[in-house]
Amino acid sequence: VQLQASGGGSVQAGGSLRLSCVSSGRTFKSYSMAWFRQAPGKEREFAAAINWSGGRSYYADSLKGRFTISRDNARNTVYLEMTSLKPEDTAVYYCAAEPNGSGFPPPLVPPYDMQYWGKGTLVTVSS
């Protein structure tokens, strides 16, 4: 499984961005998906996760109400819709996949033992 994240960029505070992560292969439904982020000089942290069907999602407390995770299994894609962005949301955002059966939500504290990781996409929010 290869994951390719995109959609990052520069935005002003209060703006919105939608990140996408496309998975290779034909087994996308076999995985729950998650987004993590790593701000400059900080440790990677959990952002959001979604189960294989899209029927369950989970968010970091600080992101509830502003970020929405969704998936399109027909397109092998998971999304992260980010609204009301703040400068502290500046980070590299990574998507990750974990096989179904490993439990949901995935690990919410380090180490984030996800089976597959994408390379990340940079989001910069200016004040």
Side-chain angles (χ1 to χ4, degrees):
V1 173
Q2 292 185 328
L3 304 174
Q4 180 64 54
S6 62
S10 296
V11 63
Q12 289 191 326
S16 300
L17 279 175
R18 188 177 79 158
L19 306 183
S20 300
C21 175
V22 179
S23 173
S24 65
R26 290 178 274 182
T27 59
F28 188 60
K29 287 184 180 180
S30 299
Y31 299 90
S32 62
M33 301 296 295
W35 288 95
F36 295 81
R37 66 183 188 177
Q38 187 165 14
K42 295 188 177 181
E43 292 187 350
R44 190 171 299 188
E45 64 177 4
F46 168 80
I50 191 165
N51 76 330
W52 71 274
S53 69
R56 297 175 64 193
S57 57
Y58 200 88
Y59 298 90
D61 287 342
S62 61
L63 303 181
K64 289 178 182 176
R66 296 194 300 121
F67 286 21
T68 303
I69 189 171
S70 62
R71 66 190 292 163
D72 183 341
N73 286 342
R75 297 178 182 272
N76 285 9
T77 303
V78 62
Y79 304 98
L80 185 67
E81 187 79 36
M82 306 183 295
T83 63
S84 302
L85 283 163
K86 306 174 182 179
E88 51 263 43
D89 294 319
T90 294
V92 177
Y93 285 73
Y94 299 89
C95 61
E98 181 68 8
N100 298 333
S102 298
F104 186 84
L108 305 180
V109 295
Y112 302 112
D113 192 19
M114 303 290 285
Q115 186 164 9
Y116 299 103
W117 291 86
K119 288 188 177 180
T121 184
L122 176 63
V123 172
T124 303
V125 184
S126 58
S127 57

